Every structure is written in structure tokens, then in C-alpha cells.
Amino acid sequence: MDKHFINGKWAASTSGETSAAIDPSTGKEYGRIAVGTIEDIDAAVKAARAAFENGPWGRLTAAERGRLLLKFAALIIEKKDELAAIESRDTGKPRTVARNDVDAAARYFEYYGGAADKVYGDTIPYLNNHFVAVVREAKGVTGHILPWNYPMQMFGRTLAPSLAAGNATVLKPAEAASASILRLAELATEAGLPDGAINVVTGAGGKIGTALAGHPGVDFISFTGSPEVGQIIQKTAADNGFVANFLCRTIYAMSGVGYRLMRGIEHGRFQGNAFPQKCHPVCRFLLCSLFSFVS
């Protein structure tokens, strides 16, 4: 776990440094992760570019990519207990929630594995003696910056469609939760994905996340995180001349009775107390005839 995963192999950071992996439930260190550098990002992007342009990954047909993703999904389910234990320890969430996250990650690869050879183009009516067609092609190398609260789910949600389309990928997981991502990358290789299709560089987002978003060899960036960091990533991507896709967590403030009700409901749920950082509500509530309005 104290190395990056680049071009199908474990690679030590060029910095030679590691940082502590902390179990949030105990506050104790249980391992080390590599502290990535700009040079590590460069190596990962070059490996992805080579896999896409000249390697076996870029030469696969859509049907062949789909079969590999389905095989990967089956392997994720086979390793469910192991992956759930890693995710639970790394994020502090209950083991039952982590098991659900494994199912979700596998389902993404099942879905997009089946969809890989069903991405169709279009023909467009035009002038006589002319033929106009839309052909959908892979972007090339896609970068993925993942959050700490749902590493495995976001791995599946962002990576599966990119791989199904034929892109090669570079991931920067949250430095607080990298363990399951590294294990998934290793399992992808075991499932038969060629070297360079998935590359993982760990470390501080302020340094290597920005390096990934600004790398000239990256064609598309996917980011999930705070709006503040999203603005930085978006500007960096725009300066580099490519597209960025975002899912930013937003915190809405409530006041008065509504706030107290929300807090009461939240604390009435174990999952909300045990793992409060979520991009969607644990539960919903409906307020009827609670307020009077004077016109």
C-alpha cells in the first residue's frame, strides 16, 4: 500500500516519502501510503497515453473491453469481504455500508461492461451526393480525482464509463482513503485489463491533484469534492484547454425550527451519526402546516 500503481506494477514514489494511513475508528496508524510527486503523475499519464495509443488496451474492440469489465465486476464481488474490510478501516464507515459500496462498484462495471459495444453514432441527412456521419471516439487519457467518503463507489462511477469508452485512466484518490483504490487497481490487472489502462498515484491533492488537472497529456478530468477545490481544478483544466466534469458537495444552511428538526432526524439515524459526510440525504422529511405566513 506504500506504493503507486503505474503501468500494471507497484512503483515507489520518486520522493521516497510515505504518509500515515489512519483508521478513523481508532485514530491509529495501520499502514503507509506513498507521497506522490509531479514526476509520478507524469509517469502515470505517460503510461496511460502509451496504453491508449500503442498498447493492447487501445487495440481492443468495444466488445473485448466489455468482457474485461464484466470479468472485473465478477472479481470485485468475489473479493467482497476483503474489499469491505479495507473500505471500512480506511473511511471509518460501518462494515455493512462498506459491503454495499462494494456491490455498487461492481454494478457500475457490470452496467458499463454491457454498454461498451452499444455506443452508436448517427447519420445526418444532408445534400445530395454527400454523406455526413457522427462517430463517437474515446477522449484518450482521463484523469479522476476521488473523494474520501465513497472511494470504491466513485471508482466505479467515474472509471467504468471511461474505460468502457476506451479511455486509459489516471486516478488520484483522497490521501485519507487510498487503500481500496489501490487494491481495486491491482484486481483490475488480475481480471485481465492491460497494463496502463488504470494508473493510481496517491498523495496530497493540492500538489498532485493540480498536477493531474494541468498535465498536457490529460484530455478530460473528473473531480468530486468541495466547491472551493473544484474551482481550482476547473481553472487549471481550462488553462490546459480541456474539459472538466464536476460533482461538488454543497452544504446548505438551515435556521430555526427547520434546522432543529433536521438535526433531530439526522441524530436519530445511526448511519448519519457514524458517517455524516454524504452527498445525498440519509432520510427525507416533509413539513406540513408548520409555519404561518402573513401576507
Side-chain angles (χ1 to χ4, degrees):
M1 196 176 77
D2 59 347
K3 292 180 173 62
H4 308 307
F5 193 81
I6 299 174
N7 203 28
K9 302 176 182 63
W10 296 109
S13 174
T14 56
S15 69
E17 299 178 10
T18 62
S19 62
I22 303 297
D23 181 343
S25 66
T26 64
K28 296 180 180 179
E29 177 182 333
Y30 72 86
R32 309 289 295 180
I33 63 168
V35 176
T37 65
I38 295 174
E39 291 75 19
D40 297 327
I41 288 290
D42 186 58
V45 172
K46 287 178 177 176
R49 178 62 60 185
F52 174 74
E53 294 184 351
N54 306 309
W57 178 246
R59 293 193 294 268
L60 293 178
T61 66
E64 290 169 333
R65 290 196 303 270
R67 292 188 194 110
L68 286 177
L69 295 186
L70 291 172
K71 186 176 179 181
F72 183 29
L75 187 56
I76 291 173
I77 293 299
E78 180 183 324
K79 302 291 185 179
K80 183 174 182 176
D81 290 340
E82 176 195 350
L83 289 168
I86 294 172
E87 188 83 335
S88 177
R89 181 179 59 182
D90 213 25
T91 62
K93 65 179 61 178
R95 186 72 62 92
T96 53
V97 178
R99 288 176 62 84
N100 292 337
D101 289 351
V102 178
D103 289 335
R107 186 68 189 106
Y108 281 119
F109 284 98
E110 288 173 343
Y111 179 88
Y112 286 104
D117 61 349
K118 300 171 184 66
V119 180
Y120 308 128
D122 298 287
T123 58
I124 302 173
Y126 195 55
L127 302 175
N128 290 338
N129 302 319
H130 288 74
F131 178 79
V132 179
V134 175
V135 178
R136 303 187 185 280
E137 298 179 334
K139 296 289 291 184
V141 175
T142 59
H144 304 256
I145 301 174
L146 306 185
W148 64 266
N149 55 349
Y150 284 92
M152 280 196 299
Q153 279 209 41
M154 295 307 300
F155 179 96
R157 187 184 300 182
T158 68
L159 220 69
S162 183
L163 291 168
N167 300 292
T169 61
V170 179
L171 284 81
K172 206 301 286 183
E175 55 268 36
S178 301
S180 63
I181 302 303
L182 290 166
R183 181 59 177 138
L184 284 169
E186 184 180 38
L187 287 176
T189 299
E190 292 181 22
L193 271 74
D195 295 347
I198 299 177
N199 304 275
V200 181
V201 178
T202 60
K207 185 174 183 178
I208 60 173
T210 304
L212 179 59
H215 197 288
V218 173
D219 301 295
F220 183 94
I221 193 79
S222 171
F223 167 80
T224 303
S226 70
E228 294 78 14
V229 177
Q231 290 176 354
I232 297 172
I233 298 297
Q234 187 174 32
K235 182 180 185 305
T236 304
D239 290 343
N240 199 32
F242 63 84
V243 178
N245 179 50
F246 295 93
L247 175 60
C248 296
R249 291 189 296 271
T250 303
I251 298 174
Y252 296 93
M254 300 180 69
S255 61
V257 176
Y259 175 81
R260 290 193 293 274
L261 279 172
M262 188 64 179
R263 294 298 294 173
I265 292 173
E266 178 185 359
H267 285 286
R269 295 291 296 243
F270 169 75
Q271 186 177 339
N273 287 333
F275 191 66
Q277 185 68 40
K278 301 172 73 69
C279 298
H280 58 272
V282 174
C283 53
R284 293 180 173 87
F285 64 97
L286 179 65
L287 298 179
C288 300
S289 303
L290 183 61
F291 302 102
S292 60
F293 298 90
V294 178
S295 59

